[in-house]
Amino acid sequence: MLRSTGHSAAILDGGIASYPGELATEAPQRPEGDFSAQAWPRNLLADVVEASSDKYTVVDARNRDRFDGHQDPIDPRPGHIPGAVNVPCRENLDSSGRLVPEAQLRGNFERAGIVSAENTITYCGSGVTACHNLLVLEHLGAGRGRLFVGGWSQYGHATDRPVETASMRTP
């Protein structure tokens, strides 16, 4: 998210638990910052109309049970945007919280029909974990996709929009 808005940022693969050195326990002295908020570039965002369009490959980053419509503890309707494919972001990580090997990451997306982030829109429940799939696509050299920030929370509340579940898909 930070890099998309023009800020320098990096992610520690595996989180703080994977940091190889000693961690300080006292509060550091921090210089005054000069951070300024920037709007997310429009060309990296998608709206509900675009996320519903068959012009794009739409990727749902939620767990399979929510995507399939078996349960949804958060939103009013279970399921997913019709035509979307499922690449659960949690499957990008191993049990220690590190990215799985690149071949496995690539396979996760290729099985869903994605080899490039071009014309790809990703969403989740609220737009946060979908960013993980965008990060992985960029890490794989597939380019930058677009984010549907409203995610399933916005789409699922729009009762005039169709919903798909695993029981509705044809084999």
Side-chain angles (χ1 to χ4, degrees):
M1 287 188 249
L2 286 169
R3 285 201 339 255
S4 292
T5 58
H7 299 282
S8 178
I11 295 177
L12 180 60
D13 187 11
I16 197 72
S18 68
Y19 186 73
E22 297 261 341
L23 297 174
T25 57
E26 60 279 342
Q29 292 293 326
R30 293 194 173 116
E32 192 142 335
D34 63 354
F35 183 87
S36 60
Q38 302 292 323
W40 194 294
R42 177 66 189 114
N43 66 322
L44 296 177
L45 293 176
D47 61 26
V48 68
V49 173
E50 292 165 314
S52 305
S53 171
D54 61 4
K55 294 179 185 176
Y56 303 97
T57 301
V58 179
V59 183
D60 188 319
R62 297 174 302 152
N63 292 340
R64 291 187 195 288
D65 60 337
R66 288 185 70 196
F67 176 83
D68 286 341
H70 297 304
Q71 59 89 27
D72 196 317
I74 300 168
D75 295 305
R77 296 192 296 166
H80 60 270
I81 297 172
V85 295
N86 188 217
V87 180
C89 70
R90 285 168 181 78
E91 293 180 14
N92 297 331
L93 303 173
D94 66 18
S95 61
S96 69
R98 292 173 93 66
L99 286 175
V100 297
E102 193 170 303
Q104 188 176 343
L105 290 171
R106 196 172 303 285
N108 290 346
F109 285 93
E110 286 176 355
R111 278 188 295 283
I114 301 162
V115 294
S116 170
E118 186 177 337
N119 289 327
T120 298
I121 295 172
T122 185
Y123 75 95
C124 56
S126 61
V128 177
T129 58
C131 289
H132 196 273
N133 276 351
L134 290 172
L135 171 76
V136 169
L137 285 167
E138 196 173 329
H139 171 73
L140 293 172
R144 283 188 158 180
R146 295 171 65 199
L147 175 66
F148 171 37
V149 177
W152 184 250
S153 291
Q154 178 184 353
Y155 191 95
H157 278 85
T159 56
D160 60 323
R161 295 200 171 271
V163 171
E164 188 173 80
T165 64
S167 63
M168 301 168 88
R169 289 189 301 243
T170 55

